Amino acid sequence: MNFTSPFSLALGAILALSLLGVPVGQAMIGGSVLYLYLKGMDMGTVAEQLLNGTYSSFLLLAIPLFILAATIMSSGSVLDRLMRFCNALVGHFPGGLAQVNVLQSVVFASMSGSALADAAGSGKLMQVMMTRDGKYTKGFAAALTAASSVIGPILPPSIPMVLYALVSGTSIGFLFIAGVLPGLLLGAVQMGLVHHLARKRNFPVEPRVPLRELPRITREAFPALMLPVVLLGCLYTGVTTPTEAAGLAAAYALLVSVVLYRSIGWGDLYDALMSSARISISIGMLIAGALVFNYVITVENIPASLSGILRTFDLSPLGFLLLVNLILLLLGCFLEGSTIILVILPVLLPTAVALGVDPVHFGVVAVLNIMIGLVTPPYGLLLFMMTRIAEISLMELVREMVPFLVVMVGALALVTLWPDMVLFLPRLAGYTG
């Protein structure tokens, strides 16, 4: 590799800007401008690619709408009602609150679509509940909260799946439904591990909720639990497009929180809108930077070059997926997930398609890899978030995280080796891939 080539210098500029604290999206735009300047190309191409990419994709509107729905549903008493519902179902199992922690991540997946949002919201509450009165150590509670937060972006609605649909052209509806069984598998293996550790470490069990209380608790949580049903029902009956379904989800969240639960006021709604706007802008800038940098990658013909290199290894589809797993797990230790989806996956996808790997299966495997990377040392973003929330050292958290990483990688292996687990529900919904 020529380290003085325009592409190498552009990569160096992106890395240097990122290390100086410039957001990754802006760093990619800066590196792309430098590349075009060194190549003697029209630097106005940056604006052209940015505008064409962002304003021609109706699907991108789904992201801020999903974020708004999640923010509204996380406000007021909705969180408490859903937490009581989860506790009534599994609180009396071995591990009590630890089991509730995993189940609430499955339930809240229909509202956040983001692992970081899950950990910062309901996960932060679970951390406090689990460590109160010394029931669980801070390290174990933080490790479990980080691991369970990974489940959210696998289940619909999933912001990483929306980003993958953007770069791959794959149906977002089929991607959403394809993530259901792998997401539930991830929850199941984590709950199984909690059961094993509860027996081994003698974790406390929560008092069983009286049977007569279950109908009331379920009734209170039912409107919030219906959000994913409304979302997926609209998608698969063809009533709405994915973006329209996201808008409907936001409207439904507002209806439930304001009219049914009366849990938020005008001030809370304003805060939810501002919080959603800030998150959406940060994601939007990252997408804009990736669109511009992907143009540079295309000009350099990197996808075709990589495809040619990989063909020389004569990899089977399974061998290629295993190699991708290794690459993405390593990258996930250092890079933010959205960056990997927007920059790295478009480079790998042509080879996957050429080898006969189903793009929906590839997308779910890739997103699962990237989410596991969020809790993988040394630089998993969820690890650093949980060290701040739990006020513990990184080493203490990593020590407790190891068993969860083992079972999650096992789940990843099963999803990789058994494509039908991913494609079973999409095929029932009419997918022909």
Side-chain angles (χ1 to χ4, degrees):
M1 180 177 180
N2 183 2
F3 291 101
T4 60
S5 69
F7 184 70
S8 298
L9 293 174
L11 285 179
I14 293 171
L15 179 61
L17 289 171
S18 299
L19 292 175
L20 289 172
V22 177
V24 175
Q26 286 92 320
M28 285 192 286
I29 293 174
S32 301
V33 169
L34 176 62
Y35 173 85
L36 294 174
Y37 172 75
L38 293 174
K39 293 282 285 188
M41 300 172 66
D42 181 9
M43 288 186 287
T45 305
V46 170
E48 179 185 350
Q49 292 297 316
L50 194 155
L51 293 173
N52 287 342
T54 53
Y55 288 103
S56 64
S57 178
F58 190 54
L59 180 63
L60 280 177
L61 283 175
I63 294 175
L65 290 170
F66 281 137
I67 292 170
L68 178 60
T71 307
I72 292 173
M73 291 293 272
S74 298
S75 304
S77 65
V78 179
L79 196 64
D80 296 332
R81 294 169 191 262
L82 290 172
M83 204 68 79
R84 285 198 296 270
F85 174 74
C86 294
N87 184 61
L89 290 183
V90 300
H92 57 281
F93 289 178
L97 282 176
Q99 300 284 10
V100 173
N101 196 336
V102 180
L103 183 60
Q104 64 86 21
S105 287
V106 174
V107 172
F108 279 96
S110 65
M111 291 159 220
S112 69
S114 164
L116 297 177
D118 188 7
S122 60
K124 186 175 182 179
L125 176 62
M126 285 304 310
Q127 177 73 22
V128 173
M129 292 172 62
M130 289 181 66
T131 55
R132 185 181 297 152
D133 302 325
K135 290 182 177 179
Y136 298 85
T137 65
K138 287 185 176 181
F140 176 80
L144 176 60
T145 299
S148 65
S149 297
V150 168
I151 299 171
I154 310 300
L155 294 165
S158 163
I159 292 173
M161 294 290 190
V162 175
L163 294 178
Y164 175 76
L166 174 69
V167 300
S168 67
T170 310
S171 164
I172 185 60
F174 289 135
L175 282 169
F176 275 1
I177 200 171
V180 170
L181 292 181
L184 294 178
L185 172 66
L186 207 57
V189 298
Q190 289 187 14
M191 293 182 81
L193 176 61
V194 167
H195 185 278
H196 169 72
L197 294 176
R199 298 287 193 188
K200 186 177 179 181
R201 302 187 189 181
N202 196 28
F203 287 154
V205 175
E206 298 302 299
R208 183 186 291 270
V209 175
L211 192 61
R212 65 179 180 276
E213 294 290 320
L214 282 176
R216 178 185 61 81
I217 293 172
T218 304
R219 186 173 61 252
E220 289 178 348
F222 184 75
L225 294 170
M226 284 298 292
L227 177 60
V229 177
V230 170
L231 174 66
L232 294 178
C234 290
L235 278 176
Y236 298 117
T237 57
V239 174
T240 64
T241 65
T243 303
E244 291 165 348
L248 185 61
Y252 181 81
L254 188 62
L255 174 68
V256 168
S257 299
V258 175
V259 179
L260 295 182
Y261 289 154
R262 298 183 181 180
S263 60
I264 63 174
W266 288 110
D268 299 314
L269 182 57
Y270 175 79
D271 290 340
L273 288 169
M274 292 302 294
S275 175
S276 302
R278 283 191 293 269
I279 297 170
S280 299
I281 289 170
S282 65
I283 294 176
M285 285 305 303
L286 184 59
I287 293 172
L291 289 171
V292 174
F293 188 62
N294 283 342
Y295 173 77
V296 172
I297 290 174
T298 303
V299 171
E300 286 288 306
N301 205 27
I302 290 175
S305 300
L306 179 64
S307 181
I309 292 171
L310 291 174
R311 284 199 188 97
T312 63
F313 293 103
D314 196 25
L315 292 171
S316 66
L318 178 58
F320 173 75
L321 281 177
L322 293 175
L323 178 61
V324 167
N325 280 345
L326 180 61
I327 293 171
L328 294 183
L329 283 173
L330 290 173
L331 289 176
C333 300
F334 302 98
L335 294 179
E336 197 270 333
S338 298
T339 306
I340 298 175
I341 294 172
L342 293 168
V343 177
I344 306 299
L345 293 190
V347 176
L348 297 172
L349 189 59
T351 305
V353 173
L355 290 173
V357 177
D358 184 89
V360 171
H361 181 225
F362 180 78
V364 173
V365 169
V367 170
L368 184 51
N369 266 292
I370 292 165
M371 292 305 105
I372 293 174
L374 290 174
V375 293
T376 304
Y379 297 112
L381 289 181
L382 273 174
L383 296 181
F384 287 104
M385 176 180 283
M386 289 313 302
T387 56
R388 291 196 297 270
I389 290 174
E391 297 179 346
I392 58 174
S393 69
L394 181 61
M395 285 304 300
E396 183 180 355
L397 177 57
V398 169
R399 188 165 54 248
E400 293 283 7
M401 181 60 67
V402 170
F404 291 99
L405 282 172
V406 171
V407 297
M408 287 193 290
V409 170
L412 171 63
L414 187 59
V415 171
T416 303
L417 296 171
W418 190 15
D420 286 343
M421 174 188 290
V422 175
L423 300 175
F424 173 70
L425 291 179
R427 283 170 179 162
L428 285 181
Y431 180 63
T432 56

